[in-house]
Amino acid sequence: FKSKAMLSLISCYKRMWPRSVKIILIIAVLAIIAVVAKHELTVEPLVNNSVISTILSRLNFLETENEQLKESISTLENTKKKYLDTKFLTENDRKRILVTGGAGFVGSHLVDKLMMMGHEVTVVDNFFTGRKRNVEHWIGHENFELIHHDVISPLFIEVDQIYHLACPASPPHYMYNPVKTIKTSSMGTMNMLGLAKRVRATMLLASTSEIYGDPEEHPQKETYWGHVNPIGPRACYDEGKRVAETMCYAYSSQDKVDVRVARIFNTFGPRMHMQDGRVVSNFILQSLQNEPITIYGNGEQTRSFQYVTDLVNGLIALMNSKVNTPVNIGNPEEHTISEFATLIRNLTKSKSEIVHKATPTDDPRKRKPDITKAKTSLGWEPVVELETGLKKTIAYFKAELEQESGNQ
Ligand SMILES: O=c1ccn([C@@H]2O[C@H](COP(=O)(O)OP(=O)(O)O[C@H]3OC[C@@H](O)[C@H](O)[C@H]3O)[C@@H](O)[C@H]2O)c(=O)[nH]1
């Protein structure tokens, strides 16, 4: 019945309305549906505009953070320890080398050279005048080891060679604690000779031109016995080194320890301590800061200065030679201290005035090595010109001063 009624209603509708009206009706119905649908579909935004902008800015921030992290990672990767080039040596050729005082001025240059040659290097230093900074570029390298130790106490390690450099070498430093200086030279050397005897290592003693004292022979040959005041302010160092040499030859004759003795003359170069107090570093620092250049005495006393890399080459040549008697390692080019003052002032283009101060007690009046023995028996002689070395040293101290002023 229901479907019948529906069919009759439709046919009645078909009959009642003309076609155009029907179309209009349909359009009207569709329009109503569209309006209703639009209303239904227009939902309130879930979040308002301020929340969206907060999220966007947060996203931006995270993106920037991400970029910065990526940058830091790549910087870290790039700054990952890059060591100076080291040669590869086979087990047979590679030596285990101990450098006492290896974080000091001369020691650290020697360590650089030995490491680059491919050896295993152990540095022992008490950091009285040495600094970690001087060797930090090797920390972490598989061939390198740094031990904080004072040679006054015995040391038990296994090595093939010992370069025994540990001892303050600048007059103000060694005079600062004379008892400690003489203990370092005597007990320190005895301990290193004991170590050399036990492990059958070759030991090189860093002796000094100061064992000649205020020399009466000029230039000084290794055969000269020296002119030393045994109770003066320098005695802790020069007598200390003289007894160290004596110990070397006592151990050599009695216990067959293989020894080398280098008599090192005045040396200069980068990594000298800012407060070293020796003439080259003093004059350079004073000139760079336009402070008065202090000449002790009349400036007529003489010294012969070698650049540190020349010394290092001489030490290595001596260690690897068969020469077990003392050898002078120095540059025979002699200058008065006044000449040094003028040269350094000119090289730094300084306005410093030159002033004179009292002569230190027992200050040697002249010094110049005779290096015939080093030339003939080691085939060694200095090659770095004084001015070339001074320019490098000046650049080093300039950078140190800049770093210091940047840190303040
Ligand atoms: O500011 C200064 C410093 C030093 N001097 C003088 O310059 C000369 C050299 O003095 P240094 O302190 O540099 O060195 P010295 O020659 O006295 O001792 C050095 O000898 C050889 C090494 O073993 C040591 O490094 C050190 O003991 C001395 O005559 C000294 O009196 C100055 O005129 N002005």
Side-chain angles (χ1 to χ4, degrees), residues 174-282:
Y174 67 62
M175 288 182 204
Y176 173 76
N177 187 342
V179 173
K180 176 81 178 165
T181 302
I182 197 135
K183 275 186 183 174
T184 305
S185 279
S186 53
M187 293 160 70
T189 305
M190 183 135 36
N191 284 329
M192 290 310 112
L193 284 163
L195 173 64
K197 174 183 162 186
R198 200 167 51 248
V199 300
R200 300 239 146 267
T202 308
M203 197 196 88
L204 181 147
L205 170 72
S207 185
T208 169
S209 53
E210 291 234 33
I211 65 113
Y212 300 122
D214 186 10
E216 287 164 326
E217 177 180 303
H218 195 75
Q220 295 80 51
K221 280 197 207 73
E222 289 85 351
T223 46
Y224 177 53
W225 287 359
H227 179 229
V228 171
N229 174 0
I231 56 166
R234 301 176 89 99
C236 58
Y237 186 67
D238 48 29
E239 291 289 21
K241 289 288 187 184
R242 285 169 72 96
V243 80
E245 286 197 12
T246 309
M247 282 177 185
C248 284
Y249 293 104
Y251 271 80
S252 167
S253 62
Q254 191 177 323
D255 295 312
K256 307 287 168 268
V257 174
D258 198 15
V259 294
R260 307 282 181 269
V261 172
R263 290 185 180 155
I264 303 173
F265 281 67
N266 297 63
T267 307
F268 71 99
R271 298 194 195 146
M272 286 181 98
H273 204 288
M274 289 277 269
Q275 271 83 44
D276 184 275
R278 275 177 283 192
V279 71
V280 174
S281 51
N282 272 8

Side-chain angles (χ1 to χ4, degrees), residues 63-171:
E63 231 167 76
T64 327
E65 286 247 298
N66 191 25
E67 284 309 312
Q68 280 169 355
L69 276 175
K70 273 190 199 162
E71 233 170 76
S72 314
I73 288 169
S74 81
T75 318
L76 273 178
E77 275 172 354
N78 291 336
T79 53
K80 214 165 50 180
K81 277 259 143 102
K82 286 199 183 83
Y83 301 105
L84 299 170
D85 283 342
T86 53
K87 196 174 156 193
F88 174 77
L89 289 182
T90 60
E91 195 92 353
N92 278 346
D93 297 332
R94 194 166 61 235
K95 293 203 164 56
R96 297 161 305 168
I97 301 177
L98 168 64
V99 181
T100 74
F105 156 53
V106 174
S108 63
H109 286 280
L110 174 64
V111 168
D112 283 354
K113 180 86 184 197
L114 295 171
M115 283 292 295
M116 290 191 284
M117 287 166 80
H119 298 294
E120 283 176 32
V121 179
T122 302
V123 165
V124 157
D125 210 296
N126 68 354
F127 300 109
F128 174 53
T129 53
R131 288 168 301 170
K132 285 200 185 106
R133 267 182 69 195
N134 289 344
V135 288
E136 69 182 353
H137 48 285
W138 293 115
I139 291 174
H141 193 288
E142 57 180 350
N143 285 352
F144 180 79
E145 199 177 341
L146 177 61
I147 304 175
H148 188 161
H149 176 86
D150 195 314
V151 290
I152 284 181
S153 306
L155 181 70
F156 299 93
I157 57 171
E158 303 292 320
V159 286
D160 306 306
Q161 292 184 337
I162 303 168
Y163 287 88
H164 178 40
L165 273 58
C167 190
S170 125

Side-chain angles (χ1 to χ4, degrees), residues 18 23 54 130 176 196 224 235 292 310 334 341:
I23 289 170
T54 313
Y176 173 76
Y224 177 53
D310 279 337
E334 188 184 9

